[in-house]
Amino acid sequence: MKRPSIDPAEIAVVGHALHSVAAEMGAALRRTAFSPNIKERRDYSSAVFTGEGDLIAMGDDMPVHLGSMPMSVSAALEAMRFAPGDVALLNDPYRGGTHLPDLTMVAPVFLKGRARPAFYVANRAHHADVGGMHPGSMGPCREIAQEGIRIPPVKLMHAGKMDAQVLAILLANVRTPAEREGDLMAQMGACRIGIARMQELVERFGFERLGRGVGAMLDGSERVMRGVLARLPAGEWRAEDFLDDDGVRLGRIGIRVAVRNDPAKKRAVVDFTGTDAQVAGNINAVYAITWSAVFYVFRCLLPADALATAGLMRPVRVIAPEGTVVNAVSPAAVAGGNVETSQRIVDTLLLALAQAIPERIPAASAGTMNNLTIGGIDTRYGSGRGLPYTYYETIAGGLGGSPQADGASGHHAHMTNSLNTPVEALEYAYPFRMVRYAIRKNSGGAGLHRGGDGLVREIELLGDAQVTLLADRRETRPWGLAGGEAGEPGVSNVIRNGREETLPGKCTRELRAGNRLRIESPGGGGWGRAKPD
Amino acid sequence: MIGALSVARRAGIARVLSFDMGGTSTDVALLDATHEPVTTIEGEVAGVPVRVPMLDIHTAGAGGGSLARIDEAGALQVGPQSAGADPGPACYGRGEGATVTDANLVLGRLHPEYFLGGAMRLDADRARKAIERVQRAGTGFGSVEAVAEGIVRVANVRMESALRRVSVERGFDPRDFALLAFGGAGPLHACALASALGMRQVVIPAAPGALSALGILDADLRREFSRTVMVEPGSKKIGGAFRELEAEAREVFRAEGLRPVLTRSADLRYRGQGFELRVDWGADAVARFHRLHAQAYGYADSARTVEIVTLRVQAVVRGQTLRVIAKKGKRGGGAAAMIGAHRVFEEGSWRRAVVYERSRLESGDRIAGPAVIVELSATIYLALGWTATVDGFGNLMLAPATTARKKTGGPR
């Protein structure tokens, strides 16, 4: 298929302009959001799609959303017909979502004189609570119905007007409705900013010309990925890695992958056949997440300035058998699939690729997001009776040492690209006191290039609260490569009246005012044999 | 940047996006002469977030020396690699790579004889050959001129994104600002960038190539007094806090024997948000906040609690010395400053353009584009459809021809 060639400047100009639209949507969302997880930690993504639902621009946001946003758009397109001013909302992991706290909005961009949407804009933000058994909606559940409110693609806005009934059902099912409503308004405003910017772009370029640029950009992305595959060696590389447990039953859960590359055909297949069956606990990943993890790893092989578009993944096929932890089916619980299993899929893929291109692959990073959710009543507000709050945060760990350098300490790795909640912001927003926030010395694996160290974060609760931990790499360790040693596994302790108890990686506990929680995140693996002293 | 701010104030322009394009990169900043420079607490130094006020400067990865190349996707990219000062752009005579400077030369926007006031002769053939190499590396290009135009467009779109970022992200619309272009390469790109951003006014200060290093003395004395209050709009604390800030302002200026003009403003947000919008204070401040929020972020919610985070009092004493310096200009056509004819490539074809020497332009002179205006530290490209007027301080004020007399900005 040969398109008429297009001026190379046009491709770059269109690519930069579209990226700028996605970045502006993200900025609007961040600046108007209410929850610290969105405004401080930037746990959101925004993206632009063609009228057919192909990803054409994405802000430099969360990799785990990279591949899964297009599936939200296609689920919305299947479910409804859009009119101007409509906005769709969804979170159902089995219909375009990832896990329930990620609420995604999809909005059409209509142009004058065209009956069908010319583009779509979408954004996704992780909300600190969507109801369910545990405050923060990230606890050890056994089926999705326990995890929170499940929203198939529905219209939240009709022709520019909020559907008060849909909103009422949603807000009645969450613990912190005022904050949720504020964050939803911020997402909705960001959609409008995206729509306005896209309409301006069309005004400037003309629809036909913009469309040609977009087509060339998508083809260009495909060419870039094919170039990468052509330079990878031919062969098949297999790897397996494990999650500690699923939070409700003991026993490791294996992820197995075979990466097959055919440089002559410039095609690759990533095959997860042999991965363990879906489990009772919440670490099941839906296909969108597995696809995102593969997208992320292959994107890491590209030149740094390659634009993230749908064209990139055209030459890569992902096989994930239904009913496994990498392609779970309803009614499996999925909260941890997005945050923990996604990280392990990346680890497994990197371990396979380390056999193909050992000079480019780093040792394992922390391999867990150390998800911490806390919910309770904040008596500082609400005149005596207090107001409910829900807090959510992921805690960074050490990065793996690479063939080139030591791993960095205290960084969010791979599928999460968020920041921390600054201590001041945390203490202002929640009834907590930060007792300690430090680098966890010597937790990175030894090696020619050391693994980065994890973090220590110790929080004192100022009121009674329910604390939920969703973490991994408490038993298995972030592996080293080329003779480097593994990083230290994570530890989570609760301190009551001076007595310490070590918690399982995935658990929920009722704690009292004055209790402390200390989380030590894993260090990264080392790369290369350490030189003797 | 501080120099840029005082130029804007002297030129009577309140709100400015400044754009300092040098050899390897471009710094953009948002400056509001009615207030202190827009400072940010979202700063980053060497990758470490720092929470101290600083001038809000954003760096874009393209400068005059940025190298053009065809990437694997078949797209023309400009930067981040740069030819630097050594070997420099191909037209300097040593390098092979095609840079933004080479593209400007091929398009006639730089004149080979008058670069740096004629101190350095540019090699136009060498620039053309470098661009031909880029042309051969890609598919789908038209003429060499089209390639050169493409290089300039790609560099511009990157700077445009950076300018949008410093304005839109802070809740401002670039159309309400004037563009202040300086640095050795800034004045070459100013008209195109202003057009792309919908800006109606461009200011090229005197000595634009050296401005960023100058730090010109400011004519107005101004200082801002602020207090974080975190209250709702009806709070009784507000009036008292403003009066205290004003008393403090008067006191500070009285020590210098001066009486400042005081204006009130406040930073507002919906309770629970992490960022504020600044509005002038008055009975309609909250209504104005809702409007501004809707305009900047796509929605407003008048049912939601508004929080006043910071109260500000701006104290200004207008400079007296300026009236002495400002020259009264006669309306002229700049004929005395014409030093030659040239041809420039724009919108797909070659056009005749006049070359002016800036030092010979008089206050009040008005010229029409396309024109190339040369001076010691920079070359200014006045695009087709733009006019330039010399103001009383030697600044060049550029505007699209149809709205040449319409002024943007102005105090809020």
Side-chain angles (χ1 to χ4, degrees):
Chain A
M1 177 194 69
K2 185 99 179 135
R3 284 173 206 259
S5 53
I6 182 169
D7 182 338
E10 189 83 359
I11 307 173
V13 168
V14 166
H16 285 295
L18 289 169
H19 184 267
S20 187
V21 173
E24 271 185 54
M25 287 173 69
L29 174 51
R30 170 164 55 93
R31 293 185 66 81
T32 55
F34 288 75
S35 59
N37 189 50
I38 301 173
K39 68 185 179 187
E40 302 280 359
R41 300 191 55 243
R42 307 186 186 183
D43 193 346
Y44 61 75
S45 291
S46 47
V48 183
F49 301 83
T50 63
E52 287 72 49
D54 285 328
L55 175 74
I56 49 177
M58 179 148 173
D60 305 316
D61 306 320
M62 302 289 282
V64 72
H65 299 163
L66 188 70
S68 49
M69 296 270 279
M71 297 185 192
S72 300
V73 174
S74 34
L77 293 188
E78 271 169 35
M80 62 188 70
R81 228 184 122 85
F82 281 103
D86 289 354
V87 177
L89 174 72
L90 65 92
N91 78 343
D92 185 346
Y94 298 109
R95 286 183 75 185
T98 47
H99 62 173
L100 297 179
D102 278 341
L103 298 189
T104 304
M105 283 194 197
V106 179
V109 181
F110 278 93
L111 304 176
K112 275 205 187 81
R114 288 183 172 272
R116 292 189 57 247
F119 299 96
Y120 293 92
V121 296
N123 62 58
R124 165 176 297 163
H126 184 123
H127 287 247
D129 183 85
V130 288
M133 289 169 77
H134 311 100
S137 319
M138 296 283 284
C141 295
R142 288 166 182 268
E143 56 171 334
I144 191 163
Q146 299 173 336
E147 294 194 296
I149 183 168
R150 184 169 166 191
I151 310 162
V154 292
K155 279 186 194 171
L156 182 64
M157 309 272 298
H158 299 271
K161 271 215 150 77
M162 179 73 75
D163 187 323
Q165 297 179 349
V166 168
L167 186 65
I169 294 175
L170 169 57
L171 296 181
N173 279 281
V174 301
R175 291 178 175 81
T176 42
E179 188 180 87
R180 297 288 66 76
E181 186 181 1
D183 285 346
L184 285 168
M185 293 301 278
Q187 281 187 264
M188 195 268 296
C191 284
R192 285 188 177 160
I193 295 291
I195 292 167
R197 295 291 173 267
M198 285 306 295
Q199 287 168 337
E200 281 171 26
L201 267 194
V202 172
E203 215 164 278
R204 217 168 114 194
F205 286 87
F207 180 65
E208 304 300 329
R209 196 178 136 201
L210 193 59
R212 274 198 304 278
V214 163
M217 199 176 81
L218 290 169
D219 292 346
S221 292
E222 178 180 345
R223 223 165 18 245
V224 173
M225 184 61 86
R226 288 193 187 279
V228 165
L229 299 180
R231 288 191 295 273
L232 280 183
E236 180 185 82
W237 308 281
R238 291 174 169 273
E240 70 175 344
D241 201 348
F242 296 90
L243 289 154
D244 295 335
D245 60 74
D246 72 353
V248 299
R249 290 187 193 143
L250 293 177
R252 300 197 302 182
I253 297 140
I255 292 169
R256 294 173 192 93
V257 73
V259 178
R260 291 187 282 276
N261 185 49
D262 183 344
K265 289 193 182 138
K266 303 178 185 174
R267 297 196 64 89
V269 177
V270 178
D271 186 351
F272 290 94
T273 302
T275 293
D276 284 355
Q278 66 185 55
V279 293
N282 72 1
I283 54 90
N284 301 294
V286 293
Y287 181 75
I289 292 164
T290 303
W291 199 80
S292 282
V294 175
F295 194 162
Y296 162 74
V297 169
F298 277 81
R299 198 185 170 201
C300 288
L301 302 175
L302 305 179
D305 57 1
L307 296 164
T309 79
L312 288 176
M313 283 295 277
R314 286 178 188 163
V316 180
R317 189 171 155 222
V318 180
I319 301 171
E322 271 196 357
T324 62
V325 289
V326 294
N327 186 2
V329 294
S330 184
V334 296
N338 188 55
V339 286
E340 296 301 295
T341 310
S342 67
Q343 295 286 50
R344 197 66 68 252
I345 295 169
V346 170
D347 289 339
T348 315
L349 268 172
L350 289 177
L351 198 54
L353 286 172
Q355 301 158 48
I357 38 171
E359 71 287 355
R360 293 191 63 190
I361 303 296
S365 295
T368 172
M369 298 193 199
N370 300 287
N371 303 269
L372 177 62
T373 43
I374 304 178
I377 304 292
D378 189 347
T379 52
R380 299 175 302 169
Y381 306 111
S383 56
R385 260 183 297 170
L387 286 175
Y389 71 88
T390 49
Y391 155 79
Y392 170 65
E393 171 151 42
T394 61
I395 299 167
L399 300 193
S402 73
Q404 290 77 31
D406 289 350
S409 298
H411 266 62
H412 280 290
H414 300 320
M415 299 306 277
T416 175
N417 185 28
S418 50
L419 303 176
N420 67 7
T421 307
V423 173
E424 297 81 359
L426 179 117
E427 293 186 344
Y428 179 73
Y430 302 109
F432 307 153
R433 194 168 67 84
M434 185 71 76
V435 180
R436 192 167 168 223
Y437 188 25
I439 298 283
R440 184 184 174 203
K441 292 263 188 261
N442 296 318
S443 54
L448 180 63
H449 295 138
R450 289 189 56 86
D453 287 330
L455 291 175
V456 184
R457 209 156 155 92
E458 186 172 330
I459 293 173
E460 181 178 327
L461 301 174
L462 303 181
D464 297 354
Q466 186 171 350
V467 173
T468 301
L469 191 65
L470 174 50
D472 207 85
R473 291 291 195 215
R474 265 45 189 173
E475 286 156 28
T476 66
R477 300 171 65 171
W479 36 262
L481 272 181
E485 287 175 27
E488 285 295 319
V491 189
S492 333
N493 284 347
V494 60
I495 304 146
R496 302 183 181 92
N497 308 319
R499 294 226 322 267
E500 289 204 15
E501 177 202 342
T502 297
L503 297 172
K506 304 171 188 72
C507 66
T508 186
R509 292 284 187 276
E510 301 278 350
L511 298 185
R512 311 301 296 266
N515 291 173
R516 291 180 181 186
L517 188 69
R518 188 176 66 235
I519 294 175
E520 300 178 48
S521 64
W527 192 94
R529 209 166 296 283
K531 284 192 182 124
D533 289 328
Chain B
M1 275 315 149
I2 301 294
L5 188 61
S6 75
V7 165
R9 284 174 183 163
R10 284 199 295 180
I13 297 161
R15 304 169 82 188
V16 160
L17 280 168
S18 85
F19 151 61
D20 175 4
M21 186 173 178
T24 55
S25 70
T26 299
D27 289 341
V28 304
L30 187 142
L31 306 162
D32 191 337
T34 64
H35 291 96
E36 290 305 294
V38 172
T39 53
T40 178
I41 53 164
E42 298 160 66
E44 212 171 77
V45 172
V48 181
V50 288
R51 288 226 157 204
V52 294
M54 57 168 66
L55 274 170
D56 191 4
I57 299 170
H58 183 73
T59 299
S66 292
L67 287 162
R69 70 197 151 87
I70 303 295
D71 73 8
E72 239 180 326
L76 176 68
Q77 297 293 356
V78 177
Q81 294 84 0
S82 168
D86 189 17
C91 61
Y92 285 13
R94 288 200 307 277
E96 302 285 335
T99 65
V100 176
T101 302
D102 294 307
N104 277 310
L105 181 62
V106 164
L107 296 170
R109 298 171 190 187
L110 280 171
H111 194 295
E113 311 283 336
Y114 299 112
F115 190 63
L116 299 176
M120 179 174 175
R121 218 195 121 85
L122 297 179
D123 187 340
D125 287 340
R126 202 179 166 94
R128 198 176 176 85
K129 288 207 178 77
I131 290 179
E132 280 168 0
R133 280 191 287 275
V134 176
Q135 186 184 24
R136 284 195 296 273
T139 52
F141 275 126
S143 61
V144 176
E145 289 79 16
V147 181
E149 231 178 2
I151 292 170
V152 171
R153 281 176 63 213
V154 174
N156 283 349
V157 78
R158 296 189 58 175
M159 293 185 278
E160 183 194 330
S161 297
L163 284 162
R164 275 190 190 281
R165 187 161 163 185
V166 294
S167 50
V168 178
E169 288 195 1
R170 315 269 168 247
F172 294 105
D173 186 333
R175 284 172 290 208
D176 299 334
F177 286 72
L179 185 67
L180 181 76
F182 55 102
L188 283 169
H189 297 258
C191 292
L193 270 174
S195 297
L197 289 159
M199 301 167 79
R200 315 294 296 169
Q201 188 172 25
V202 173
V203 184
I204 316 278
L211 177 69
S212 48
L214 271 181
I216 303 163
L217 270 178
D218 191 2
D220 290 352
L221 277 172
R222 62 179 72 227
R223 196 172 147 186
E224 192 173 84
F225 299 82
S226 64
R227 183 174 303 167
T228 302
V229 288
M230 302 281 222
V231 296
E232 288 180 27
S235 165
K236 291 194 183 71
K237 286 184 189 163
I238 297 169
F242 267 131
R243 282 190 292 277
E244 282 171 36
L245 286 171
E246 286 166 344
E248 187 188 345
R250 283 196 198 92
E251 186 60 40
V252 166
F253 278 73
R254 189 177 301 129
E256 307 285 328
L258 297 168
R259 287 165 60 94
V261 175
L262 304 177
T263 46
R264 295 174 171 186
S265 62
D267 299 352
L268 274 59
R269 66 184 181 192
Y270 292 120
R271 169 161 293 160
Q273 288 183 323
F275 300 88
E276 300 84 45
L277 288 173
R278 185 179 297 185
V279 295
D280 290 345
W281 187 252
D284 61 343
V286 174
R288 214 171 314 162
F289 165 75
H290 290 306
R291 267 204 308 280
L292 196 57
H293 197 281
Q295 183 194 320
Y297 303 127
Y299 85 97
D301 184 358
S302 52
R304 204 164 258 279
T305 306
V306 170
E307 183 173 54
I308 299 172
V309 176
T310 306
L311 300 178
R312 300 175 187 277
V313 166
Q314 175 80 31
V316 182
V317 176
R318 292 265 169 241
Q320 299 300 311
T321 48
L322 283 185
R323 280 175 210 128
V324 185
I325 305 168
K327 283 190 204 155
K328 276 251 163 56
K330 274 207 308 276
R331 181 95 183 250
M338 287 185 193
I339 52 171
H342 198 43
R343 45 177 219 146
V344 296
F345 191 87
E346 187 163 331
E347 290 181 9
S349 56
W350 285 102
R351 296 161 198 277
R352 296 160 59 86
V354 179
V355 183
Y356 293 92
E357 187 169 342
R358 183 169 185 182
S359 60
R360 292 200 222 160
L361 285 171
E362 296 280 347
S363 153
D365 277 349
R366 183 153 164 199
I367 56 181
V372 176
I373 305 166
V374 299
E375 63 179 303
L376 202 59
S377 61
T379 300
I380 300 140
Y381 177 59
L382 184 66
L384 181 69
W386 284 71
T387 61
T389 313
V390 186
D391 79 357
F393 305 104
N395 297 312
L396 273 174
M397 313 298 276
L398 279 45
T402 46
T403 53
R405 261 164 294 185
K406 203 173 141 189
K407 247 189 171 180
T408 53
R412 281 180 296 174

